């Protein structure tokens, strides 16, 4: 028969703890309340490491008050009254009964350092999950004026969290997480498809630009046919073969692209009508790939943190492995957005927050601001 709390029963004690760490926090706080001198044995946790506001307020109160004499504390519990009064300033719902229940549930006060280490580990998990969520939000937020720059910043912040966790819990070999990787999000964006088509058309019309666009790979495209056509173009350039819609069509036939639903006439029409420059559309395609990669990275790390079986060591190793995949895309983005080197000065790299002029866009009907320098 389920337990029904009495009207005067402490609500904090009646609520079922959502996670095992709740019990660990109770044990640690009970150890401090029973033997306050144990606080000197504990490092690595602060009020923000606790999962509830009530526990955070109790820890803050215990940490801020001088520990009583052990012999006096054993016979006169006035210190507990002071802790309760101080903690109630932040958590008014705390009661003396709850403090006594914490003392009762503590199995062994000398184990306080072990309890603190468990709480520290769970706090690291929550911090990493929050950093991953911010990265996903940044990659999706179309209202950001500098979306890629903001995503860069969130990636750096996530890396900083990982570094801090690795300092606290140094990873060891053979500790990859076993959490399944979430599937890559499927993009059905008409703007992305249009930009990829314009890139293919302009690159076919201006094949000399393709050699300078090694920073773009087939994996950056959202449509398999477009990725295959980009491979056709780069292959023709590598062979020093003439490039035009007909030669691309012939190469596409050899790669089996026509059997995937694309008809010859449709493919020729796709490659016609160049607008702007290949570099402009290539950067647009790569930018979407960067943001999609950041979104997938955030979801992978979120999946790691949501799996309670993963230890802090596994979180560090798995997240760093995932971060390395995105770093490769960041590197290509930096190559794509690097200004040409002046003849008399060293090369100047356009950073994520730079205001340097981007590539030329479409003609005046849909043109970018005049300040942008056309090729």
């Amino acid at each position: 028969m389920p337990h029904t709390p009495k009207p005067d029963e402490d609500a904090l004690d009646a609520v079922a703890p959502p996670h095992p760490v709740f019990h660990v926090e109770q044990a640690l706080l009970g150890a401090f309340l029973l033997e306050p001198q144990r606080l000197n044995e504990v490092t690595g946790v602060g009020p923000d490491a606790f999962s509830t506001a009530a526990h955070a307020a109790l820890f803050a109160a215990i940490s801020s008050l001088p520990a009583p004499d052990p012999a006096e504390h054993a016979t006169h519990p006035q210190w507990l009254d002071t802790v309760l009064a101080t903690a109630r300033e932040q958590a008014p719902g705390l009661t003396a009964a709850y403090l006594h229940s914490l003392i009762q549930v503590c199995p062994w006060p000398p184990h306080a350092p072990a309890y603190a280490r468990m709480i520290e580990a769970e706090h690291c998990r929550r911090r990493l999950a929050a950093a991953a969520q911010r990265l996903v939000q940044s990659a999706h937020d179309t209202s950001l004026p500098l979306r890629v720059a903001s995503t860069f910043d969130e990636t750096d912040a996530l890396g900083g969290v990982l570094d801090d966790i690795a300092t606290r819990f140094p990873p060891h070999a053979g500790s990859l997480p076993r959490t399944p990787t979430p599937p890559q999000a499927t993009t059905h964006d008409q703007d992305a498809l249009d930009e990829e088509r314009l890139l293919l058309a302009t690159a076919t019309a201006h094949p000399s630009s393709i050699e300078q666009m090694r920073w773009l790979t087939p994996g950056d495209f959202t449509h398999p046919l477009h990725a295959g056509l980009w491979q056709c173009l780069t292959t023709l350039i590598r062979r020093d073969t003439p490039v035009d819609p007909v030669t691309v069509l012939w190469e596409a036939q050899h790669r089996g692209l026509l059997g995937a639903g694309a008809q010859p006439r449709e493919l020729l029409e796709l490659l016609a009508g160049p607008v702007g420059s290949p570099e402009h559309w290539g950067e647009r395609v790569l930018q979407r790939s960067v943001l999609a990669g950041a979104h997938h990275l955030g979801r992978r790390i979120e999946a790691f943190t949501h799996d309670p079986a993963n230890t802090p060591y596994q979180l560090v190793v798995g997240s760093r492995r995932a971060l390395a995949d995105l770093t490769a895309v960041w590197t290509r983005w930096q190559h794509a957005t690097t200004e040409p080197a002046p003849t008399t000065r060293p090369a100047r790299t356009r950073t994520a927050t730079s205001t340097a002029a981007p590539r030329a866009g479409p003609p005046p009907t849909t043109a970018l601001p005049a300040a942008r320098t056309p090729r």
Side-chain angles (χ1 to χ4, degrees):
M1 185 173 179
H3 168 66
T4 303
K6 298 177 182 179
D8 59 344
E9 189 173 0
D10 188 350
L12 286 171
D13 206 23
V15 175
H19 300 289
V21 72
F22 185 89
H23 295 287
V24 181
E25 293 174 4
Q26 286 187 319
L28 179 65
L29 293 172
F32 292 155
L33 294 173
L34 188 62
E35 300 179 7
Q37 69 275 11
R38 297 288 177 188
L39 183 64
N40 297 326
E41 303 172 2
V42 170
T43 59
V45 296
D48 59 340
F50 290 81
S51 61
T52 70
H55 288 177
L58 271 174
F59 182 83
I62 294 170
S63 303
S64 65
L65 296 173
D69 178 79
E72 181 181 352
H73 180 63
T75 56
H76 300 87
Q78 288 88 350
W79 183 79
L80 295 179
D81 296 334
T82 306
V83 168
L84 179 60
T86 304
R88 274 180 170 172
E89 296 177 3
Q90 301 297 325
L94 282 169
T95 65
Y98 187 65
L99 266 62
H100 286 291
S101 69
L102 293 177
I103 295 174
Q104 292 173 358
V105 300
C106 178
W108 193 247
H111 291 173
Y115 304 150
R117 188 68 167 165
M118 298 173 193
I119 294 170
E120 182 182 6
E122 194 63 22
H123 183 221
C124 288
R125 182 191 304 275
R126 293 197 302 270
R127 290 175 56 206
L128 185 58
Q133 290 169 4
R134 289 193 297 268
L135 176 60
V136 170
Q137 292 169 0
S138 177
H140 262 303
D141 191 352
T142 57
S143 67
L144 294 173
L146 296 173
R147 192 171 167 194
V148 174
S150 298
T151 305
F152 265 116
D153 293 341
E154 293 299 342
T155 305
D156 289 341
L158 187 147
V161 173
L162 278 175
D163 291 342
D164 181 66
I165 296 175
T167 300
R168 296 168 180 264
F169 298 89
H172 47 73
S175 56
L176 278 172
R178 298 180 182 179
T179 308
T181 300
Q184 187 86 32
T186 303
T187 302
H188 299 286
D189 190 329
Q190 188 59 45
D191 289 340
L193 297 177
D194 291 341
E195 290 170 358
E196 291 174 5
R197 294 189 187 104
L198 287 169
L199 167 61
L200 295 169
T202 54
T204 302
H206 307 286
S208 59
S209 300
I210 299 176
E211 184 67 22
Q212 309 303 320
M213 297 173 62
R214 296 182 180 180
W215 36 263
L216 191 67
T217 69
D220 296 322
F221 290 78
T222 61
H223 196 290
L225 174 63
H226 299 166
L229 290 175
W230 183 252
Q231 285 183 308
C232 292
L233 286 166
T234 56
T235 299
L236 293 175
I237 291 297
R238 187 171 61 252
R239 294 176 185 164
D240 198 20
T241 303
V243 176
D244 62 35
V246 174
T247 60
V248 175
L249 172 65
W250 193 249
E251 181 67 22
Q253 175 179 272
H254 292 163
R255 289 180 176 271
L257 298 179
L258 299 184
Q263 299 301 318
R265 175 55 58 186
E266 295 173 350
L267 193 148
L268 290 173
E269 291 176 354
L270 184 152
L271 298 175
V275 177
S277 70
E279 294 89 345
H280 169 78
W281 298 117
E283 286 186 14
R284 295 286 298 173
V285 170
L286 182 57
Q287 176 176 314
R288 292 181 185 275
S289 181
V290 167
L291 295 173
H295 174 264
H296 187 58
L297 168 67
R299 292 185 65 240
R300 286 179 67 183
I301 296 179
E302 278 187 310
F304 294 155
T305 60
H306 292 166
D307 185 351
N310 288 327
T311 66
Y313 312 102
Q314 291 174 308
L315 292 177
V316 170
V317 173
S319 298
R320 280 183 167 173
R321 182 75 61 89
L323 188 59
D325 295 338
L326 182 61
T327 300
V329 185
W330 287 141
T331 301
R332 292 193 287 112
W333 171 258
Q334 290 171 340
H335 284 309
T337 56
T338 297
E339 297 290 349
T343 56
T344 58
R345 286 181 289 181
R348 177 169 58 88
T349 302
R350 186 169 70 212
T351 62
T353 57
S354 173
T355 57
R359 314 282 186 178
T365 55
T366 56
L368 297 170
R372 301 189 176 187
T373 305
R375 290 181 175 268

